[in-house]
Amino acid sequence: MIKKYLKLLYRLRNTIISTSFCFGRKKHKYYIIRFEDRMHCGWTVWERVVLFNSIYAIDHGYIPVVDMQSKKNIYLENDEVGIVNAWDKYYLQPVEGVSLTQALQSGDYILGNESQEWFDYIRIRKRKLKSNEYLRRQYQLYIKYNDKTERRLSTFYNNMLKKANRNMNVRLLGVCLRGTDYRQFGHAINPIISEIKPDIDRALQDHKFDGIFVATEDESIMKDITEQFPSEMILSYKAGELSNTNGYIGDIIRVTKSADEAAIDYLMVLYSLNRCFGLIGGVCGATIVAQYKRDCQYDYLKIYDFNMYY
């Protein structure tokens, strides 16, 4: 692990030197958050990009502003690139009342480093960034849905419960497992359902959960879950849509979905996991963020980290 961090810091040496944070440069007011998004990422990557960059910006006396407009991402249509800020479509800016347009027109800004190396660095630069309780407090400050998104997600969630004949006070256990492109691009190995079923069964009994909310894009994983649990115990939102992938999942999803549908579908899954009272699953963006996305801890939490990769 130490070697990994040393290697990362070495790679960052020239990158950091080349930024406008160099000694002697003029201090600017705004810090524009950007990300190169080489893997055409979803919201849990973008939320972490915004969160950790916002913490960095505030630590250094800047006002953070999110730019998901200047370059293509999976939540923009082709004709929206350079015109529409995807972040503003669904979230509030980290500092309310501040817009990307306002920051850019001021001329008093610095363009944040957009590289993956910088993203890696700002997550390890100080010890407390590894504390979920610290991140929970920071998340509540900087990552907030706008009113329209909150209304849409609440409506979708309530409709899901109504369709399943469940009331608003239902205690669900979130089960989150990744497959498809996770198996192709060297991500953390996720457990199979037979490995975690005993823990799910114990959690359902010990914590009096009323059912499980399944979060997975993988058809085979969803099939395994439906074979292991009664249908009346399972709730989901568009789970198991993909049987296989031959590229990044973001690109595959956008073949059949608009930018807005892709955006709101994933936000609905994250919103539902946040409404659960427990969470069990493998290491992935959704389970990493879920651990501090809620304003309080889960009643039950178990994330399988095998420290192995596909």
Side-chain angles (χ1 to χ4, degrees), residues 243-284:
S243 58
N244 55 65
T245 58
N246 56 2
Y248 296 128
I249 188 172
D251 294 333
I252 304 302
I253 288 173
R254 282 303 314 281
V255 171
T256 58
K257 295 184 181 183
S258 68
D260 180 67
E261 185 179 7
I264 209 70
D265 281 355
Y266 193 22
L267 288 177
M268 175 57 185
V269 172
L270 300 178
Y271 182 87
S272 299
L273 288 175
N274 194 54
R275 295 287 295 267
C276 291
F277 286 82
L279 176 65
I280 187 169
V283 174
C284 64

Side-chain angles (χ1 to χ4, degrees), residues 174-204:
V175 178
C176 183
L177 299 170
R178 286 296 316 275
T180 56
D181 69 340
Y182 248 55
R183 301 189 183 112
Q184 297 177 27
F185 297 108
H187 290 293
I189 289 178
N190 274 219
I192 58 176
I193 193 64
S194 60
E195 292 177 309
I196 68 174
K197 187 177 186 299
D199 285 327
I200 295 175
D201 290 337
R202 279 193 293 270
L204 289 170

Side-chain angles (χ1 to χ4, degrees), residues 44 132 136 171-178 190-191 196 199-200 203-204 207 209 211-216 269-294 296-304:
T44 56
N132 276 334
R136 191 188 315 281
R171 285 177 54 82
L172 295 175
L173 172 66
V175 178
C176 183
L177 299 170
R178 286 296 316 275
N190 274 219
I196 68 174
D199 285 327
I200 295 175
L204 289 170
H207 295 272
F209 294 123
I212 60 176
F213 173 81
V214 180
T216 185
V269 172
L270 300 178
Y271 182 87
S272 299
L273 288 175
N274 194 54
R275 295 287 295 267
C276 291
F277 286 82
L279 176 65
I280 187 169
V283 174
C284 64
T287 57
I288 291 170
V289 172
Q291 293 176 67
Y292 49 78
K293 184 182 182 76
R294 301 179 90 241
C296 61
Q297 296 181 8
Y298 284 106
D299 294 348
Y300 172 85
L301 176 68
K302 184 161 186 176
I303 305 302
Y304 291 77

